[in-house]
Amino acid sequence: MTHPTSSDHIDNVLHETRVIQPPADFAAQAQVTREEYDRRYRQSLDDPDTFWAEVAGELTWMTPWEQVLDWQEPHARWFVGGQTNIAYNALDRQVERGLGGKRAFVWEGEDGEVRTFTYAELLREVKQAANAMLALGVQTGDRVTLYLPLVPEAAIAMLACARIGAVHSVVFGGFSVSALSDRMNDAASKLLITADAGLRRGGLVNLKANADEAAGKTPTLEHMLVVNRAGSNPPMQPGRDVWWHEALAAASDEHEAMPLDSEHPLFVLYTSGSTGKPKGVLHTTGGYMVGTYLTTDTVFDLKDDDVFWCTADVGWVTGHSYSVYGPLLNGATVMLYEGAPNHPDWGRFWAIVQKHRVTILYTAPTAIRALMRQGDAIPAQYDLSSLRLLGSVGEPINPEAWMWYARVIGGDRCPVIDTWWQTETGSIMLTTLPGAHPAKPGSAGLPMYGIEPAIMTRAGEELGPNDGGLLVIKRPWPSMLRTVYGDDERYRKTYWGEIPHVYFAGDGARRDADGYITVMGRVDDVLNVSGHRLGTMEIESALVAHPSVAEAAVVGRPDDIKGECVVAFVLPQGEQTVDPAALRAYVTREIGALARPDAIYIADALPKTRSGKIMRRFLRQIAAGRAIEGDTSTLEDPGVLDRLAETPAV
Ligand code: WTA
């Protein structure tokens, strides 16, 4: 792995000087003032044990912890000796607090169907699902894979796993058969929960057919629970497959949440790294619970009557932390939407906001840019007055999209927060607090409580204001990943081995004189396509697996909507011709549609150093149509670049 140090990778440095004050009405009612933030942030660093004990103490523990943190770098144990259950805290606790009749989920299907669950109703279904899983032989510590559309059953299944201490591994429904079977095999999953099909842009996505094929390649799998979402009547394998609704109907609705050790594994979520196959990021119970609980409340300035809509699919960490665990731990009403933002037209998001009186909207810059491109007239047709706060996550937001979001969607009345975090961090790390801090469009902002970031050189030297460098975190925090599932060495190396004694995020960033951190993008070989992480290595492996390809190199190219898109350089195998359409279909089958290359260059050679390392830096310049910059003297054959620059992309 190499890390480019030249400026070309950190090229979306924003020269933005606007400072937007929190709207006065919002600031007047906000939970946290500037002084309050300063005080609590200072306390969280000076006396972290007291700070975190206070936050954790707001939740229910079946056995109190003996020690707040045990840090044996790079391994943290939080709330040591404590026992709790995150599903209990998300549901039973709310019912006990008198919120049983409050809406927990309002779900809208792509076809317009609406289903609502109160906290008491959700608790009942989760108990039944827990009993149904126990009846299928799932035990505490077993892994359960979820491959589902965004239906309420996805959240119910996650919470049911948490209730019995089974470890969930959600695989995004857009992923392919191979991606699904790889993840199930890595986790040695015993149970797969899927659906007959999902609805997407009016069509059906046949999940059960993919699940069947993947199950055939997963020896550890014993059962499949199948949600009947679309009535598409798939074949069911007797003895292995069970309908979700039948299993739940047969299950008791009495179940006591199991007390689990604070460090009991809660979930594995696979995400792309710069090398090899995706890694299973492991989160545990107590720390993740405390982190998502605190940040949902504080960052989103949560109020009792909020309708909180995070548009992420539960297949991503954002869906885990801010569509399910964080808001439910706070007793909030959560909006869930199954489908595409442009079905039946580009007004769908605004129709949902209007109909369900959504108050907080949390989405990704790629969606904001796509919606912005449709013009202001579409949102103008809807009543968006219920909105009071807007959030952004997943990739850097360009100031134009930020301003559009604030003006057209927020009516200049709603603060916009830009939240930086990662699958690995579990919860929000950098943001402005909406009533306390002015926003600087394009800059994520300040650290959350307990988070101590720094900008460093590769040698571990801390940089001063406005110097671009590497974003690191200098101390452990409760919702941090604990390891890479089944590969602790990879955990050590990737996160704590790059720069001694700090967590290495893999992002380039700089901090200004006010302490605001602007995250500029990945410094490793990870792409961010529409807010989704993809490893260049994964795509390259898929390409070279195709018989017509001898060698491949993948880079990202800036894209107006997706942020970044996939560009592939391929060398044909022998005398074979490369068929771009076939190659795209192949990548879609191997990984999923999000990895499909937007442009393919069929080349006769790749720019390599004498030691054989591909210089992706030059490929990025060619992909972006830029002139070649930088030292080409280390190349074995500098003429490669001229030939590539003249090659048309297909
Ligand atoms: C990027 C998503 C700039 C970053 C929660 C990070 C961001 C990766 C922001 C994690 C932001 C996320 N500004 N970049 N506000 N939020 N990123 O694991 O490169 O899917 O490392 O987690 O997305 O992506 P992941």
Side-chain angles (χ1 to χ4, degrees), residues 272-283:
S272 295
S274 38
T275 52
K277 56 184 182 128
K279 46 194 174 207
V281 168
L282 182 85
H283 283 285

Side-chain angles (χ1 to χ4, degrees), residues 271 317-318 392-397 418-424 444 505 507 519 521-522 528 531 533:
T271 189
V317 73
T318 310
S392 173
V393 60
E395 44 176 325
I397 181 165
D418 175 7
T419 62
W420 175 86
W421 58 293
Q422 307 176 295
T423 306
E424 292 87 341
D507 280 319
V519 178
R522 302 289 308 188
N528 192 326
R533 273 165 73 170

